[in-house]
Structure formats: structure tokens, C-alpha cells
Amino acid sequence: MHQLYLTVGPTRFRLASTWRRPLDQLAALYKDYPTSQDGYADFTVRLEPEKPWRRYFRPSVHISGDFWLPDAAPLPLDQSLLAAEMGMNLQMALGWRRHLLLHASSVEKDGKALLMTGLSGSGKSTLSAMLAEKGWRFMGDEFALLNPDTGMAHSFPRLISLKNEAIAAMQAIVPENRFGPLMKGTPKGDIRHIVPPLDAVNRMVDAAKPALLLFPRFGHDPALRDMGKSEIFVRLTQASTNYVALGETGFRALTQFVDTVPTRAMDYQSGDQAEELIDSLWSKLP
Amino acid sequence: MMRDAQPLVDALREPETVLSLDGAGWTNLISIARAESLIGSLAHRLAEIAVPEQVGPILKDAIQATDLARQQALWEADCARRALAPLNCKVVLMKGTAYVAADLDAGVGRSIGDLDIMVAQDSLPAVEEALLDASWEWVKPDPYDDQYYRKHMHELPPLIHRDRDRMIDVHHTTLPLTAKPTPNPQAMLDAAIRLESSLYVMAPADMVLHSVAHLFADGDLAGGLRNLWDIDRLVRQFAEADEGFWTELGVRARLHQLEPHLARALRLAARLYDTPVYKYRAGHAKFADYLYIRRLLARDGWGRETRKFTRQAFYIRSHWLRMPPLMLVRHLWTKWRKG
């Protein structure tokens, strides 16, 4: 097995793969991230053939590791970069306990964090990528990590995963050399990764105080709506991968978050509209 | 790269062995321990060891995760107790839930999945009905599987709770009815010990023997290292508390037709975990012990299953032990046709 160690935010991964390709791709895209050469890791991710003969013949990549799902579908070898990213996400979602994990994107300005959560297709990932090019520090497009003791948001800035139409939209503002390979026809559609801005990588251990939570929704007339605390709470329990696993700690962290962080539902039809709405809210924050 | 699970066994047996590990060695150990569901037990075992700062948080996570597993297991047991209370029948907790309910060393850091209980065979229909009334549902709606369980197995088809998403296995004995040894379930129920909660756990000797039966006569040794660790913890604690334990264990092993199985389990536990065993119960080493050890340690430092041939042989053997040959052929044929 080939291996590669990667550090993203607070987490150290050991990736092991039957093929060199996904690890070479990862090494190139994560070249500015800190490397750990001491051999320690919080999680091991494994990429292996689904069956022994599928190493060479119509190679298919089975994702597993310290934590795994019994029914994970294998991916073709030309999507092995996606498989590696999914493998790392899986370890976090099922195994990480040092923070409450919210399935949310996050960006920071002036030490304060903006979190965006919502269903797939809400545009939270694209919005965070866009804001990262406009003066905000990118903290993550997949998981926001809440420290249960301090309430602070921690960064998990892995590669930004763009889907379908978002790829062309971001190609307009991000230079080509920050893009990974285009993977067509994945289970989630066309996918292309971008490397976060260097500043996001250099400052990935800096925490920020959560200041605003948005539930963006793409494709509707621009609007901001208040939400009831109980609705916010329930939707965040659904957006958290480890709320149940943390038990009482998770409950305390989440209720404190809902009690203290201003929250809005935001409808928008374009990046410019979203940016305008976000700026209007941000400028009124205490 | 570590080629087998020996480092995990060493760390559990003698925690000081981890002091010689480098970073990669630790990462291997952790992957193996997670794969064998022994990470919580390992974390507790290393409580007194000065581990590297990169490792401390991983072990702390494992302790917290198993603390929660304990709490959830006890809650699940209490849910079952309340559902079955009107029936006034003995409900005996088994495996992990029993170890934590009785506050035994074997429960420290143990991962616990399903709730396993045992009731008298003649109260099965009432128990089934009471659980269905209390929002448990069938997991396997397949009629062949359902019939198979009811006719040949030692437990009802598994039930899952609609809201809590937790499984319960209701046993009426400890081994499939088609297996060769026939443990005496009535004797187990009669000797069971009542806890404060009014739930029961098996008496010490029976508890060890159930773990032994589970390890050898019912399965392909998957999870075997953990099962053997349970046996190590139980035997140490019971033998220390009661000097009549070894005698009682012999009497009960004969009663439940598990003498050779017990002997092998004790030899393997002594070999891997240095379990202090009474030599007349453990008997003489056999060549097959070596194959069992090979199978139990079949995992590499990436956390992968290894020794495919040995694993496959034990898998086939497990079916062989569960049912007579003709029945096995019929069963596999039906399963194969259903894909």
C-alpha cells in the first residue's frame, strides 16, 4: 500500500492506497498544508480494490478505514481523488469527538465566523468559496467544528468541492492552477476541487467566534427571514453528524450555539445578491 | 508494516509494551484496536501509561465514546425491562449489557451494539408480542429467514426499535438448536442472579461459558480478540472473588456440554492475554490452537483483514458446526438462489 500523511485543521490523516494515483493527486493539491513525518495520525483511510482483480481490470475503489459504512458504493479509479476526500469526511463524520460537527461551510472576518448550512444544492459550498476570494478567510466548505467548552468555531479547510454549474462560476474568479482534475459523472454529478487560498491554509488552526448562521436557499427571490429557535435547533441536530454520539456534551454545545448566534434564512438567485444580503447583515452585527 | 494484531494483544496484556512504539507503531495499534472494537478497552488499560501527546486525545475520545455506549446500553435494557415487566418473567441480560449492568471489569471500555436478552422458551410468544406492542419491529421481513430463525435458531429474528433504532436479540438458549453441544438453558435461567433493577445476569460460571459458546460454536471467530478479552476479564475477576469458581466452572461446563470449548478458550486466553487459568480446566495444548491463534491475529497495521484462506476456512467451519451437512447444503442452496 502507498501512503500519505495529511493534516487538515485539527485532524491528522493517514491515507493508504493500493494505487499511487489518488495519493499523488492529493499530495499536489495539499502541497501547502503542514505535513507530519512523525507517523502519528488520528484516522486511517484506506482505498483498495473492491475485489482483488479489480486492481487492474476496470479498477474500482472501495473506501474504508478506521470508520466505515457497510453499504458504501465503490468509485471508478479516475474518481479516486473524490474517494479519498469522501474517506476523510467519513472518518470525521463517524469518528471525530473533540468538536460538535455541523455540516456547514464557514468563513471568517475580524475574528468572527459566518456559518452557512442547508441541504445539498443550497449553495453553501459555492458561497464560501466565493467569499473566500473577496476578503473573507475560508474555514471550510463541509464541516464547521464547534468547541463544546469555548463555543468557538474551528477550521477544517480541506479542498473545496464544486459541483456542476458551480464549477464554471468559480472558474471565472479563481486561477486555473488552483483547480484539481474535472471528474465527470460521479454519483454527485460533475465535481472539481479547488485549493483554498493560501491564507486559509496558513491560518487553519485559528478559531473564530460564531457571529452569524445562515440557511441559504438558491433559486428564490432575494429575502431574509427570521427563524424560531426550536426550528434552528432541530435543523442543526439534523445537520450534525455527531450530535447523538456526543450525548449531553453535544446537547449543551448546540443549545448554547442556538441561544447566542443570530440566525436567518436567506433566499438568493445570484452570488452578488447573496453577497449584498450577507454584507447588510454583517454590518449590523454587534 | 505490522503484519498481525500482536501489538494490540501485547498492549492489552502488558501496557508497558507501548512505550517502545514510534509514531507509525501507534497509528497501527490504533487502527487495529478500532477494527477489533477494542479501542475503549485499550484506552482504559493504558490509563496509567504516559502516552505521547498525539495519542492522548484519541484514547480520551475512545473512553468517552464507550462511556456513552454504557449509558445507552443500560437505558436500552431498562426500556426492555419496562416493556416486559407485566409478563413477570425472568429477563436475563447477556454479553456487553450484562457486563456493564453487573459492573464487571469486562464491561470497562467495552463497545456495545445490540441488546441481547434471554428468556424461557415458553414465554417467547408473550415476549415477542410485548416487544412488538412497545414499538419494536422485525428487521428481516424475508419469510425464509424468519422461518429459519424460528425453527433452528437460539433466538428470535432480530427486532429493531422504531424510534431509537436499536436492535434487540431475544434468546431462549445460547447456541443454535442445530449445533452439536446443547447447553441447558433452564439451568442457566434458574441460576441467574437478580440485579437491583430486577433484571438478571447469568451466574459467573454460566456467563463465562456463554462467552465461550459464542466464541467457538457460533461464528467464524470474527471479533474473537474482543470475545477472548471478555473471557480474560471475567475469569480473572471471578477466580479472585471466589475460590470455588474453577470447580463450579468445571461442573457447569459438563452440564452445558462445553468442556472442550472451555478448555480451548482458556488455553487461547492464557496464550494471548496471560490469563491465569486452572490447568485441569485448560488441558493440554493442541495443534489446532495454533490455527486459532493465526485466525485471531489476522489483521495488519492498516486495520485490514488478512490471511484470507484461514478466515475462509473458519467461516466454512462455523457453518459446519451450526448444522448437519445435509441441512447446510439445503440452507446454502436456498440462500444462493435468493442471491
Side-chain angles (χ1 to χ4, degrees), chain B residues 9-310:
Chain B
V9 167
D10 291 342
L12 287 168
R13 188 189 65 243
E14 201 183 332
E16 288 75 17
T17 56
V18 301
L19 294 172
S20 63
L21 293 175
D22 61 3
W26 272 106
T27 303
N28 291 336
L29 173 63
I30 287 159
S31 282
I32 296 169
R34 280 179 174 148
E36 295 288 344
S37 298
L38 274 164
I39 186 79
S41 311
L42 176 69
H44 279 279
R45 200 71 183 125
L46 300 182
E48 306 291 316
I49 302 282
V51 301
E53 55 170 349
Q54 296 91 333
V55 173
I58 297 173
L59 299 180
K60 196 174 144 214
D61 287 349
I63 287 175
Q64 287 177 353
T66 46
D67 282 352
L68 192 70
R70 164 186 285 252
Q71 201 181 356
Q72 285 174 331
L74 292 175
W75 172 249
E76 203 56 32
D78 199 61
C79 290
R81 180 191 63 78
R82 276 177 281 140
L84 300 177
L87 305 183
N88 269 324
C89 66
K90 266 189 189 179
V91 177
V92 181
L93 300 172
M94 303 167 96
K95 303 183 201 169
T97 310
Y99 307 154
V100 297
D103 209 15
L104 297 171
D105 293 346
V108 174
R110 196 182 190 277
S111 68
I112 305 170
D114 305 346
L115 170 62
D116 294 277
I117 60 170
M118 185 162 110
V119 299
Q121 187 161 20
D122 58 13
S123 49
L124 268 186
V127 166
E128 184 177 351
E129 200 181 304
L131 290 174
L132 290 170
D133 277 350
S135 300
W136 273 273
E137 296 171 339
W138 299 120
V139 179
K140 294 191 175 184
D142 183 286
Y144 173 78
D145 287 345
D146 191 80
Q147 268 312 302
Y148 187 87
Y149 264 93
R150 286 170 194 280
K151 220 164 136 191
H152 304 301
M153 289 296 277
H154 51 309
E155 59 194 11
L156 287 176
L159 291 155
I160 195 161
H161 194 273
R162 195 188 303 154
D163 305 321
R164 293 192 306 277
D165 209 28
R166 302 271 298 200
M167 299 248 268
I168 185 169
D169 282 329
V170 183
H171 303 242
H172 54 85
T173 182
T174 47
L175 281 178
L177 306 177
T178 49
K180 213 161 169 204
T182 312
N184 184 331
Q186 195 53 50
M188 283 188 173
L189 285 168
D190 290 343
I193 296 166
R194 192 172 192 271
L195 302 173
E196 235 171 80
S197 61
S198 83
L199 289 163
Y200 287 75
V201 296
M202 285 179 194
D206 287 350
M207 197 183 271
V208 171
L209 288 162
H210 173 235
S211 191
V212 167
H214 185 60
L215 176 62
F216 289 134
D218 177 29
D220 59 354
L221 260 71
L225 283 182
R226 186 186 71 176
N227 217 316
L228 209 56
W229 181 248
D230 287 344
I231 292 170
D232 169 87
R233 297 289 101 177
L234 293 174
V235 164
R236 280 176 197 267
Q237 191 170 12
F238 293 151
E240 193 158 305
D242 172 14
E243 56 185 39
F245 170 72
W246 288 111
T247 311
E248 177 66 7
L249 189 58
V251 171
R252 298 300 277 192
R254 202 166 315 125
L255 172 70
H256 296 309
Q257 304 178 3
L258 289 167
E259 280 176 301
H261 307 81
L262 172 67
R264 172 155 285 146
L266 293 175
R267 290 197 301 273
L268 297 179
R271 176 86 173 276
L272 291 175
Y273 297 129
D274 228 356
T275 315
V277 299
Y278 179 51
K279 66 176 185 219
Y280 293 107
R281 292 284 159 274
H284 296 293
K286 298 221 166 75
F287 171 73
D289 293 355
Y290 158 82
L291 297 175
Y292 280 88
I293 299 272
R294 242 185 92 73
R295 167 62 186 87
L296 286 166
L297 296 179
R299 192 171 297 277
D300 69 13
W302 303 111
R304 290 186 298 181
E305 296 180 347
T306 55
R307 299 174 183 162
K308 294 244 157 41
F309 180 79
T310 308

Side-chain angles (χ1 to χ4, degrees), chain A residues 8-220:
Chain A
V8 183
T11 316
R12 299 152 69 109
F13 294 96
R14 174 176 70 164
L15 292 111
S17 170
T18 307
W19 307 270
R20 280 209 67 88
R21 166 143 55 142
L23 300 187
D24 286 347
Q25 288 176 331
L26 282 172
L29 293 164
Y30 281 94
K31 70 177 167 35
D32 293 320
Y33 287 64
T35 52
S36 52
Q37 299 303 334
D38 58 10
Y40 291 101
D42 295 293
F43 296 120
T44 296
V45 174
R46 296 196 307 264
L47 304 176
E48 297 173 275
E50 189 196 0
K51 295 271 188 286
W53 59 87
R54 295 296 288 269
R55 176 173 182 178
Y56 304 104
F57 176 69
R58 288 196 293 122
S60 93
V61 185
H62 175 70
I63 307 166
S64 65
D66 287 351
F67 294 87
W68 47 278
L69 290 174
D71 46 3
L75 292 173
L77 186 58
D78 55 14
Q79 296 172 13
S80 55
L81 174 63
L82 176 65
E85 290 282 314
M86 286 168 70
M88 289 192 281
N89 283 341
L90 194 63
Q91 305 311 307
M92 289 301 281
L94 300 178
W96 191 253
R97 301 182 55 87
R98 287 167 233 172
H99 300 93
L100 178 68
L101 254 68
L102 295 180
H103 191 228
S105 66
S106 51
V107 291
E108 177 258 5
K109 200 189 260 183
D110 306 326
K112 293 182 293 187
L114 161 64
L115 280 71
M116 293 174 281
T117 185
L119 300 174
S120 184
S122 63
K124 60 183 189 308
S125 189
T126 316
L127 284 176
S128 67
M130 187 196 76
L131 292 171
E133 303 303 316
K134 304 194 174 187
W136 297 72
R137 170 171 66 106
F138 176 80
M139 294 181 72
D141 81 328
E142 182 78 21
F143 294 125
L145 277 41
L146 294 183
N147 183 322
D149 299 321
T150 63
M152 296 291 272
H154 289 254
S155 180
F156 186 68
R158 21 145 285 176
L159 300 180
I160 303 165
S161 162
L162 297 174
K163 296 180 197 97
N164 304 320
E165 298 82 12
I167 299 172
M170 288 306 293
Q171 274 168 331
I173 51 174
V174 172
E176 180 63 23
N177 64 8
R178 277 179 47 210
F179 278 85
L182 174 65
M183 289 173 281
K184 279 177 143 345
T186 78
K188 298 167 176 177
D190 293 351
I191 286 193
R192 212 172 165 192
H193 292 96
I194 40 180
V195 180
L198 192 57
D199 170 57
V201 176
N202 289 340
R203 294 179 55 203
M204 71 183 188
V205 295
D206 295 356
K209 192 174 161 54
L212 181 62
L213 170 67
L214 292 176
F215 284 85
R217 191 168 63 150
F218 180 74
H220 296 263

